[in-house]
Amino acid sequence: MRSSEWIALLYFLYLATVCWLRPVPLPRRMLISGGSLLTLVAIVAVARGVPVVVRDWAPFVYVSIAYYLTGYLFVRPSAMLEAWLLKWDHRWLGDPTRAFARWPWWLIAWLDIIYVLCGPLLPGGFLLLVLTGHASQANRYWTMVLAADMAAFAPLLVFQTRPPWQIERPPALAASGVHSLASSIVKHATTGANTFPSGHVAVTLAVAFGVMSSLPVAGAVLLFCAASIAVACVVGRYHYTVDVLAGAALGLSVCAAVAAFAA
């Protein structure tokens, strides 16, 4: 099995186990453990007997399933942890909902758009590799992506918080229409639980570095997108600043470890 498949396998084993260690309602436990076990079977089946092209793309399905199943671990927010995270936002930004009111509308619009496009960047990065003749980098790429994203998902078992947009008043931003649309997408397409560290930041850094070794220019563009997403997390109140910093540290650490192991 590939290293990316081992990461997925171990993560779903983790989910199937830990859902019984938290006061998660029984229907959720059954969904998490059942979904995890079915995915485990699928991972082994894909590793043993499907065309290479299917195997190359399968990790995107694994990480997507992992995201939504992990969300079911969320039981109740920790008021103490939320207060601590908000304290640092207020210390660094003043009133976070007003801190970016004077930023130009086009910058706010870009930040909201690129934040919403975080999910498509995962298969998009690999598509770039495929289209430029670097499909052989599939395992290296997905090892970075899965390790970064799943390492950001896993702490939800312990660190249970709501994102700032669920707690604060709506931020005062110039491109309010674009922000309202992006917020609606986030509200209806995500689990509604806050990941600490930020999965958005960690995984987009992994996408950028996963492409950069083969396509330096494209990797640099993706790194700019990752930086924009990190800023968007705070400006749009999708994440706390501490989440973003922790996500950046996680993403860089994972990429460095994978690069060193693969060297």
Side-chain angles (χ1 to χ4, degrees), residues 7-31:
I7 290 169
L9 193 78
L10 292 172
Y11 188 77
F12 285 106
L13 282 172
Y14 163 81
L15 276 184
T17 303
V18 301
C19 66
W20 298 94
L21 305 179
R22 291 283 297 176
V24 179
L26 182 59
R28 286 199 202 176
R29 284 177 172 167
M30 299 301 293
L31 179 60

Side-chain angles (χ1 to χ4, degrees), residues 61-120:
V61 178
Y62 305 152
V63 77
S64 301
I65 295 172
Y67 171 71
Y68 287 104
L69 285 183
T70 305
Y72 288 114
L73 291 175
F74 187 87
V75 179
R76 66 181 61 87
S78 166
M80 184 178 298
L81 182 54
E82 287 181 346
W84 182 80
L85 292 167
L86 281 171
K87 179 186 75 173
W88 284 104
D89 274 5
H90 283 273
R91 179 173 295 182
W92 289 329
L93 305 172
D95 180 356
T97 66
R98 303 284 310 173
F100 309 100
R102 298 194 178 193
W103 282 26
W105 69 268
W106 55 267
L107 179 55
I108 299 298
W110 160 251
L111 293 174
D112 274 320
I113 290 168
I114 194 62
Y115 182 86
V116 170
L117 291 178
C118 174

